[in-house]
Amino acid sequence: MVKSMPARSEVSIDETWDLQSLFASDEAFHDALSALEKEVDAFASTYKGNTKNASTVNTLLKAYAEINEKFVPVGTYASLKISTDQTDDEAQMLSSKFGSAAAKVNSKLSFVTSELLALPDETLEQAMQESDEFKVYLEKLIRKKQYQLHSEVEKTLAAYSSTFNAPYGLYNTTKMVDMSFDDFEVDGKSYPLSYVSFEGDWEAETDTAKRRAAFNAFSQKLKDYQHTTAKTYDMQLQTEKTTSDLRGYDSIFDYLLFNQEVDRSLYNRQIDLITSELAPHMRKYAKLLQKAHGLEKMTFADLKISLDPTYEPEITVEESKKYINDALGIMGEDYLEMIERSYSERWIDFAQNKGKSTGAFCSSPYGNHPYILISWTGRMNEVFVLAHELGHAGHFYNANRAQNIFNARPSLYFIEAPSTMNEMLMANHLLENSKDPKFKRWVISSIVARTYYHNFVTHLLEAAYQRKVYERIDAGQSVNAGILNNLKRGVLEEFWGDTVEINDGAELTWMRQPHYYMGLYPYTYSAGLTISTQVSKRILEEGQPAVDEWLEVLKAGGTKSPVELSKMAGIDITTDQPLRDTIAYIGELIDELEKLTEEIEGE
């Protein structure tokens, strides 16, 4: 039964994360922010205009790295604070204060990039030879040279950074603060509704009448805010288009893919192949769900239900530990120690409360430990969510210790590989340790419904829709709610065909996803899962050598491109074979579900 959400002040402290390793109090945060602003002034007066040769380049970068390291905890504290309660006035003010301070600081620091890129390439190459430490950073900088603007322009643009980031903040405020859901009724009974309860519970509710009523009530509330949300999104898009044009990129796609270090063919392939080749498998899965639930018709509101509504294991936070440890034990002692600390030192925010960000994420501040946000519902599938976020944590736990601050983060294209890898390890472990066909069916349906549906279908359909949006923007057009609704509906109808009725409200799902404010992010989930599916197969077949190679990949951080990182793990993503193999594997899983269902029903 879904209960009303408590206020943040009412949840148990044990269910919350402990931000004290960042700052002991808000006061300590404000002190650190003031000190940082002074340090930036001192840094600028020491180094501005004084970088002339290779040795001064490396001296500058050493000091610049130290400044960046001090920037991390204040930024992390401000964002984590508001993510657990967007309605908290103090957290809002603290976040705004950081935003405006960050804009000033970035503006004052913009000279670093401008002055380095004004030097001859030979000087930068000599600096790389003299010190390996900043080699990767300088290589990436040289790549950017043709898109760099005059130093005064760069300084001005940096000063506007918090304004350019405003659409994302506005989106979150609309979604988590202004949007308030009324209870909905079924057969004369009232049920509470919120963003978190809809996405965490009602979407998967086994009672069809309640599930569809919740979907309708949820969609109706989204509809009330569609025009504001569309205007907010258009603001984000126009800012990106202007930046792309100003910097001289051929298209907005080239601009957004530049830092991902992959070309457009890899981006397009991910969307085109999955849209055409995965759709038949997923339609088969939708029909299986429809049959299992005895539904007259299958609607968009029914796609998140579990295959076996009578079999949904429940699990406490405490019980999740054993599953996580057993499944990820193959990653070694160091990895397991990180998992132990994440529970015992309260790195994870499990609470469900009003104003908390939806979904789950992992923040991995350099020089500190990772933080994970999740809203624990007690359903067994949360173990997959937690394993996923611990995959991000394990990635940066390794990369942050092995690399300097500039080299720790890999391309966005690769970012979801370590997280989805852990979901695969969890699934493999659960399958190996049970002979019960019902449990096996639950595990496989969890992989299909959570791991693959979420990453290969939900996020991929977001990516297909997002590509259509950017094609409009690239052609100099804008968007509004009507256009966005039509684009989203079109993508859903193309994928599901006549198997699933795309009912009213489905077109509004574009309003639910913050990823659209993070560039070309949605498609990277399927890219990461393609890599991790293939690596997890290697680990199953080869054991320790494959694990050791994977740990080396994690430690490499951002020192290599996605193609090189994948190659280190034994996967060649320059061909479409890994993606086709992964799509075929999803097909095999769905066939296995059909077989198990026949076996269980025949008993």
Side-chain angles (χ1 to χ4, degrees):
M1 176 60 199
V2 179
K3 297 188 286 291
S4 291
M5 286 286 153
R8 181 70 178 177
S9 57
E10 294 166 349
V11 301
S12 162
I13 196 161
D14 295 337
E15 294 179 12
T16 65
W17 54 28
D18 179 7
L19 298 183
Q20 294 213 348
S21 71
L22 291 165
F23 293 106
S25 64
D26 287 1
E27 197 183 348
F29 160 85
H30 290 301
D31 291 346
L33 190 57
S34 301
L36 179 64
E37 289 182 278
K38 289 192 186 86
E39 276 189 60
V40 167
D41 288 340
F43 170 84
S45 65
T46 305
Y47 293 100
K48 197 172 181 182
N50 292 329
T51 309
K52 311 285 187 204
N53 54 35
S55 67
T56 52
V57 166
N58 283 316
T59 307
L60 167 72
L61 286 176
K62 209 164 187 57
Y64 187 49
E66 284 168 15
I67 286 277
N68 274 278
E69 284 178 32
K70 287 178 180 167
F71 207 69
V72 170
V74 283
T76 307
Y77 187 81
S79 73
L80 295 186
K81 208 69 182 155
I82 199 165
S83 67
T84 52
D85 188 2
Q86 310 256 356
T87 66
D88 181 337
D89 286 347
E90 283 180 26
Q92 286 176 17
M93 291 300 100
L94 192 135
S95 178
S96 296
K97 183 175 180 183
F98 171 74
S100 53
K104 281 187 211 147
V105 163
N106 284 328
S107 182
K108 285 172 184 170
L109 292 175
S110 68
F111 79 88
V112 174
T113 306
S114 297
E115 290 191 8
L116 287 173
L117 286 177
L119 294 169
D121 285 359
E122 299 76 52
T123 306
L124 298 180
E125 278 155 19
Q126 195 188 333
M128 291 184 223
Q129 284 166 4
E130 286 183 15
S131 169
D132 218 24
E133 194 179 352
F134 303 114
K135 185 173 185 290
V136 176
Y137 176 83
L138 289 169
E139 281 169 353
K140 288 181 180 177
L141 200 64
I142 291 168
R143 258 188 87 221
K144 266 188 185 160
K145 194 166 194 168
Q146 60 181 311
Y147 305 113
Q148 184 74 359
L149 302 170
H150 185 278
S151 60
E152 285 306 312
V153 178
E154 292 290 352
K155 187 179 177 183
T156 306
L157 287 175
Y160 274 106
S161 60
S162 79
T163 310
F164 295 152
N165 292 331
Y168 181 44
L170 189 55
Y171 166 78
N172 274 325
T173 302
T174 306
K175 176 178 166 179
M176 302 309 303
V177 183
D178 281 348
M179 219 179 272
S180 176
F181 295 85
D182 298 325
D183 292 358
F184 66 94
E185 272 195 25
V186 179
D187 298 331
K189 276 191 80 175
S190 272
Y191 300 92
L193 182 65
S194 68
Y195 231 113
V196 172
S197 71
F198 177 73
E199 294 193 340
D201 286 297
W202 289 123
E203 243 186 335
E205 168 63 43
T206 52
D207 183 315
T208 302
K210 287 181 197 167
R211 179 177 67 254
R212 289 179 179 174
F215 180 86
N216 291 338
F218 182 75
S219 300
Q220 201 50 54
K221 182 53 71 174
L222 289 186
K223 205 171 193 172
D224 292 345
Y225 289 87
Q226 62 177 330
H227 299 295
T228 304
T229 309
K231 194 71 191 161
T232 303
Y233 183 34
D234 191 50
M235 225 182 339
Q236 170 79 17
L237 296 165
Q238 300 304 336
T239 304
E240 288 171 336
K241 172 64 176 158
T242 304
T243 308
S244 165
D245 290 348
L246 270 179
R247 292 195 176 281
Y249 286 91
D250 291 341
S251 76
I252 197 164
F253 292 98
D254 296 307
Y255 163 57
L256 293 169
L257 287 170
F258 182 82
N259 285 336
Q260 292 187 20
E261 300 174 78
V262 288
D263 63 45
R264 208 160 154 185
S265 66
L266 264 71
Y267 165 72
N268 285 326
R269 179 176 74 203
Q270 212 64 27
I271 297 171
D272 294 336
L273 253 186
I274 296 176
T275 303
S276 59
E277 296 192 14
L278 182 62
H281 295 305
M282 292 314 296
R283 288 173 192 178
K284 193 175 180 183
Y285 173 68
K287 282 182 176 151
L288 189 59
L289 283 179
Q290 184 179 357
K291 189 180 166 196
H293 286 259
L295 299 174
E296 199 177 310
K297 62 178 180 182
M298 188 71 181
T299 75
F300 185 79
D302 304 319
L303 284 166
K304 293 289 179 76
I305 49 182
S306 64
L307 186 55
D308 185 353
T310 65
Y311 193 91
E312 177 63 69
E314 293 200 344
I315 188 164
T316 63
V317 167
E318 192 52 43
E319 288 164 345
S320 70
K321 258 192 217 178
K322 181 167 168 39
Y323 283 100
I324 296 279
N325 281 329
D326 289 351
L328 305 182
I330 193 166
M331 297 293 284
E333 286 301 315
D334 185 58
Y335 205 94
L336 282 179
E337 187 199 330
M338 176 207 75
I339 291 168
E340 176 50 45
R341 288 181 63 201
S342 72
Y343 281 94
S344 63
E345 296 177 17
R346 289 179 38 222
W347 299 0
I348 308 170
D349 201 272
F350 292 102
Q352 286 196 50
N353 61 263
K354 281 179 191 154
K356 185 171 176 177
S357 290
T358 57
F361 68 71
C362 175
S363 174
S364 300
Y366 189 86
N368 209 299
H369 62 71
Y371 285 92
I372 291 170
L373 178 138
I374 184 172
S375 292
W376 194 263
T377 61
R379 292 172 190 257
M380 181 76 173
N381 68 1
E382 297 287 8
V383 172
F384 284 95
V385 183
L386 190 52
H388 177 104
E389 299 308 335
L390 283 164
H392 287 305
H395 187 186
F396 290 105
Y397 188 72
N398 278 283
N400 287 350
R401 289 182 302 172
Q403 305 297 339
N404 67 38
I405 192 165
F406 301 134
N407 293 356
R409 257 195 117 62
S411 151
L412 204 54
Y413 186 93
F414 195 82
I415 217 95
E416 294 298 337
S419 52
T420 51
M421 173 69 177
N422 278 10
E423 292 190 52
M424 300 308 297
L425 292 177
M426 175 59 71
N428 291 340
H429 165 71
L430 293 174
L431 284 174
E432 277 169 17
N433 287 282
S434 179
K435 296 282 177 279
D436 175 7
K438 278 200 155 194
F439 186 73
K440 270 184 98 158
R441 180 170 71 167
W442 176 82
V443 174
I444 295 171
S445 65
S446 292
I447 310 170
V448 173
R450 216 222 79 77
T451 305
Y452 285 110
Y453 186 101
H454 191 64
N455 300 301
F456 251 75
V457 181
T458 302
H459 291 318
L460 204 279
L461 292 181
E462 288 164 8
Y465 150 84
Q466 189 185 38
R467 183 169 64 176
K468 288 179 188 293
V469 170
Y470 278 121
E471 281 165 357
R472 277 186 68 88
I473 301 301
D474 216 32
Q477 297 171 299
S478 57
V479 294
N480 61 22
I483 289 164
L484 295 173
N485 290 343
N486 286 337
L487 290 176
K488 187 65 186 176
R489 177 173 283 280
V491 164
L492 293 173
E493 286 174 344
E494 184 191 348
F495 188 82
W496 292 110
D498 57 8
T499 308
V500 177
E501 180 189 304
I502 306 302
N503 47 313
D504 284 350
E507 73 282 359
L508 297 167
T509 47
W510 63 267
M511 292 176 66
R512 292 164 55 182
Q513 187 50 270
H515 290 160
Y516 299 134
Y517 296 84
M518 302 168 191
L520 296 176
Y521 185 22
Y523 91 101
T524 65
Y525 279 85
S526 64
L529 185 50
T530 301
I531 296 161
S532 60
T533 300
Q534 301 309 315
V535 177
S536 68
K537 280 185 180 176
R538 278 196 64 210
I539 288 175
L540 269 183
E541 288 158 17
E542 300 169 36
Q544 203 57 50
V547 172
D548 292 343
E549 280 179 18
W550 185 241
L551 287 168
E552 287 308 308
V553 171
L554 300 186
K555 286 174 191 165
T559 56
K560 296 185 184 319
S561 71
V563 169
E564 291 166 330
L565 288 169
S566 303
K567 203 160 271 179
M568 276 176 79
I571 314 296
D572 183 5
I573 58 166
T574 60
T575 75
D576 62 11
Q577 201 56 48
L579 181 52
R580 285 185 189 278
D581 287 349
T582 302
I583 292 170
Y585 175 63
I586 299 169
E588 288 164 24
L589 290 173
I590 292 166
D591 291 344
E592 179 73 8
L593 282 179
E594 281 191 322
K595 267 194 236 139
L596 283 165
T597 299
E598 281 169 26
E599 185 187 320
I600 291 161
E601 286 173 0
E603 281 176 2

